Amino acid sequence: MPIFKPTYNIDGDVTDIDIKVLENAGVKGIIFDLDSTLIASKSGELTQEVADWLEKARHKFRMVVVSNNKRHEYLEKVREVLAMPVIGFAWKPSRKAFCHALNMLGLKAEETVVVGDRPLTDIWGGQRCGMRTVLVRPLKTIVEPSWKTFFRELERVLIQK
């Protein structure tokens, strides 16, 4: 598979991932990116739509968050809000945090997917550890500056090549 090209490319946010598709593909665990994937960046707040999707996913998968965020207080708050382990200071796309997450889940790479909104950090990092990957768009509730949207779209164009 070409570098940065996700296994699954979702034209929507995390709530548009079909849980049944992952389950039928043998997925037992999910490693999530945090900001813009599960919650609005630096907000620490979960939307009801994401909370509902996560509740359904909890019945099928073991889950953990891997984030590049370095703020201890924020990461602690997010652990409580999400009710799942959160690994911060990840330095994605470094393999270290992804391998640590696999150990926490007690799963093999082929049983796990990485879900994130950035090809150069989330998707590449998951690929470097031999995991399948799911590229999503930022949460529907997020309104980003136009420059950020431009670079996200540029990344998506580049991974299609």
Side-chain angles (χ1 to χ4, degrees):
M1 175 174 287
I3 196 166
F4 308 125
K5 194 165 186 99
T7 311
Y8 304 97
N9 193 346
I10 307 298
D11 193 25
D13 69 17
V14 68
T15 64
D16 294 307
I17 297 172
D18 188 333
I19 291 171
K20 206 68 162 154
V21 168
L22 295 181
E23 188 180 22
N24 290 340
V27 172
K28 296 179 182 173
I30 302 175
I31 298 172
F32 292 103
D33 170 52
L34 179 59
D35 292 319
S36 300
T37 300
L38 291 179
I39 62 173
S41 188
K42 300 175 181 127
S43 75
E45 296 176 12
L46 194 59
T47 66
Q48 191 59 53
E49 188 177 17
V50 174
D52 293 344
W53 187 91
L54 284 172
E55 189 56 35
K56 291 175 193 168
R58 281 183 210 285
H59 297 289
K60 305 290 181 182
F61 311 107
R62 299 177 204 169
M63 301 185 296
V64 64
V65 171
V66 171
S67 174
N68 281 343
N69 197 296
K70 297 173 183 75
R71 290 179 37 229
H72 288 288
E73 313 80 36
Y74 176 69
L75 296 171
E76 281 302 316
K77 178 182 179 183
V78 169
R79 261 185 209 97
E80 291 176 27
V81 169
L82 296 175
M84 74 175 74
V86 176
I87 300 168
F89 298 83
W91 296 98
K92 294 183 289 183
S94 170
R95 286 189 280 251
K96 187 176 180 179
F98 287 107
C99 291
H100 180 55
L102 276 176
N103 286 335
M104 288 177 77
L105 294 172
L107 297 172
K108 298 176 185 170
E110 58 271 13
E111 299 173 310
T112 310
V113 295
V114 174
V115 175
D117 65 317
R118 302 296 305 269
L120 298 176
T121 56
D122 309 314
I123 302 309
W124 190 25
Q127 288 174 340
R128 294 182 74 211
C129 292
M131 291 181 270
R132 289 174 281 181
T133 56
V134 181
L135 180 63
V136 295
R137 292 195 176 273
L139 292 169
K140 295 173 187 98
T141 55
I142 295 175
V143 178
E144 293 183 318
S146 58
W147 66 267
K148 198 169 195 177
T149 303
F150 171 79
F151 283 110
R152 284 187 188 279
E153 291 306 315
L154 182 60
E155 279 183 331
R156 283 182 174 267
V157 167
L158 293 175
I159 66 168
Q160 300 304 320
K161 303 282 181 199

